[in-house]
Amino acid sequence: MSTIINGKEVAQRVRQTLKEEVAKLEVKPKIAVIMVGNDKASEVYVRNKSKACDEIGIGFEEFLLEENAQREELLNLIQELNLRKDIHGILLQSPIPKHLDIREAFNAIDYRKDVDGFHPINVGKLSIGEDCFVSCTPAGVIKMLEEYNIEVEGKNAVIIGRSNIVGKPLVQCLLNKNATVTVCHSKTKNIEEIAKQADILIAALGKPKFVTANMVKKGAVVIDVGINRNEEGKLVGDVDFENVEPLSSYITPVPGGVGPMTIAMLMSNVVKAAKKLQ
Ligand code: NAP
């Protein structure tokens, strides 16, 4: 029998704990969210983040720049927020318009306020095992494994996907927990065979139903990071849930798995930033 990991429930517990912690702080944690242009999906994400902040007692300030905003305008805003004592976390919502360099903008954020964990200093600290801000989705995956007491040490973990925000930081997170980690990507040969060796299989590639039953070892833990829309407009993950679930020992659904954890871990990073900066 497989256990379906309830990300919504774990995320709610994280948020409740944060709420209690924030109530005891002398300084109210606050995040600044920058949006450039009017990407519809980003508007929904930002609204959800704002709601989570409200619930926990975290201050939220939104900065909207026009679609045609210039490089200096964005960098100046980041600099201003870096210096503001009442702002503990800065989040630049992606995507931003193509004429702007998102890497340059991420790098301009003070790493002590980099609650997304995208700054090279945080990425570097993660890779050498120092305390830092960890990218929220990988942090959420690890938190879920911990909450379900899933042993990671000595296990074969296979990650499909090597993006800077999910796959790569997950490698470090799992290595730090003493897993043996293999990463697959679009040029990997024999993915099925590699995936089948996994005790913990993490799909983070953004291809609906990519992970099929023939790729999964009996008893594997299957974590589905993917968020895709199928032909009917329904949210689906990267795993063929229906056929993989009977084989797995633990599995995350989509929606209601990794998704809710990402915002919870962002909130956790803001509280951590406020505590460090106060
Ligand atoms: P991304 O930047 O597009 O990266 C996708 C990765 O998957 C790349 O490394 C790519 O390989 C690899 N890949 C693509 N097709 C492949 C294939 N056929 N076989 C093997 N590897 C393949 O995506 P991302 O930002 O990491 O996001 C991945 C998925 O997670 C998306 O569905 C996204 O919506 C979702 N996501 C969810 C959350 C959440 O909160 N749950 C957060 C972030 C992302 P190459 O490097 O070789 O191109």
Side-chain angles (χ1 to χ4, degrees), residues 31-35 46 49-50 53 60-64 77 81 87 89-93 266:
I31 183 171
V33 174
I34 306 171
M35 250 183 38
V46 170
K49 286 167 189 169
S50 154
C53 285
F60 180 94
E61 204 171 323
E62 199 173 338
F63 296 84
L64 301 174
L77 172 61
L81 296 170
I87 299 281
I90 303 171
L91 183 144
L92 172 61
Q93 184 66 43
L266 172 69

Side-chain angles (χ1 to χ4, degrees), residues 137 160-163 165-167 184-187 191 204-207 210 225-228 238 258-259 262:
T137 303
I160 310 179
R162 58 169 167 182
S163 70
I165 63 166
V166 187
C184 302
H185 46 78
S186 68
K187 308 288 185 291
I191 281 203
L205 70 156
K207 298 265 182 302
F210 181 89
V225 178
I227 301 179
N228 314 289
D238 289 346
V258 178
T262 299

Side-chain angles (χ1 to χ4, degrees), residues 204-262:
L205 70 156
K207 298 265 182 302
K209 293 193 178 183
F210 181 89
V211 174
T212 46
N214 62 319
M215 295 169 73
V216 179
K217 178 166 85 175
K218 196 165 176 4
V221 174
V222 181
I223 307 289
D224 191 350
V225 178
I227 301 179
N228 314 289
R229 289 217 179 259
N230 68 8
E231 303 84 44
E232 295 113 58
K234 219 178 116 203
L235 275 192
V236 292
D238 289 346
V239 175
D240 177 4
F241 185 89
E242 207 183 315
N243 295 308
V244 168
E245 186 263 336
L247 281 170
S248 64
S249 54
Y250 292 87
I251 188 165
T252 62
V254 176
V258 178
M261 291 304 298
T262 299

Side-chain angles (χ1 to χ4, degrees), residues 80-95:
E80 191 186 302
L81 296 170
N82 280 342
L83 295 172
R84 264 181 60 180
K85 291 259 185 302
D86 63 322
I87 299 281
H88 308 100
I90 303 171
L91 183 144
L92 172 61
Q93 184 66 43
S94 72

Side-chain angles (χ1 to χ4, degrees), residues 142 145 151-158 170-182 199-200:
I142 297 297
L145 295 174
E151 184 66 49
V152 174
E153 185 161 313
K155 295 290 161 68
N156 280 336
V158 173
L170 256 176
V171 174
Q172 301 303 339
C173 292
L174 290 164
L175 273 181
N176 290 346
K177 287 193 151 292
N178 298 322
T180 301
V181 186
T182 308
D199 302 310
I200 301 172

Side-chain angles (χ1 to χ4, degrees), residues 27-231:
V27 172
K28 181 177 173 165
K30 188 171 185 185
I31 183 171
V33 174
I34 306 171
M35 250 183 38
V36 189
N38 27 31
D39 181 76
K40 287 282 163 246
S42 294
E43 282 171 16
V44 177
Y45 293 140
V46 170
R47 209 175 316 132
N48 289 340
K49 286 167 189 169
S50 154
K51 272 194 212 150
C53 285
D54 273 356
E55 178 198 309
I56 296 167
I58 293 174
F60 180 94
E61 204 171 323
E62 199 173 338
F63 296 84
L64 301 174
L65 299 187
E66 301 281 339
E67 182 79 28
N68 61 359
Q70 291 307 298
R71 171 178 177 267
E72 288 66 31
E73 199 181 338
L74 176 60
L75 294 179
N76 288 344
L77 172 61
I78 292 172
Q79 191 50 25
E80 191 186 302
L81 296 170
N82 280 342
L83 295 172
R84 264 181 60 180
K85 291 259 185 302
D86 63 322
I87 299 281
H88 308 100
I90 303 171
L91 183 144
L92 172 61
Q93 184 66 43
S94 72
I96 62 174
K98 293 223 168 9
H99 66 277
L100 296 166
D101 179 350
I102 197 156
R103 200 60 256 177
E104 180 185 41
F106 282 145
N107 293 1
I109 295 173
D110 184 330
Y111 77 94
R112 291 163 301 185
K113 298 189 178 187
D114 168 39
V115 286
D116 252 340
F118 294 164
H119 192 284
I121 292 184
N122 284 314
V123 175
K125 279 174 175 278
L126 178 64
S127 81
I128 56 173
E130 278 187 13
D131 182 50
C132 62
F133 292 111
V134 180
S135 178
C136 303
T137 303
V141 169
I142 297 297
K143 183 74 181 165
M144 280 198 309
L145 295 174
E146 286 171 356
E147 289 286 312
Y148 277 80
N149 293 317
I150 295 169
E151 184 66 49
V152 174
E153 185 161 313
K155 295 290 161 68
N156 280 336
V158 173
I159 304 165
I160 310 179
R162 58 169 167 182
S163 70
N164 289 337
I165 63 166
V166 187
K168 283 184 198 158
L170 256 176
V171 174
Q172 301 303 339
C173 292
L174 290 164
L175 273 181
N176 290 346
K177 287 193 151 292
N178 298 322
T180 301
V181 186
T182 308
V183 191
C184 302
H185 46 78
S186 68
K187 308 288 185 291
T188 302
K189 297 197 170 81
N190 307 326
I191 281 203
E192 290 83 356
E193 276 167 43
I194 298 168
K196 215 164 171 135
Q197 305 298 315
D199 302 310
I200 301 172
L201 179 61
I202 303 180
L205 70 156
K207 298 265 182 302
K209 293 193 178 183
F210 181 89
V211 174
T212 46
N214 62 319
M215 295 169 73
V216 179
K217 178 166 85 175
K218 196 165 176 4
V221 174
V222 181
I223 307 289
D224 191 350
V225 178
I227 301 179
N228 314 289
R229 289 217 179 259
N230 68 8
E231 303 84 44

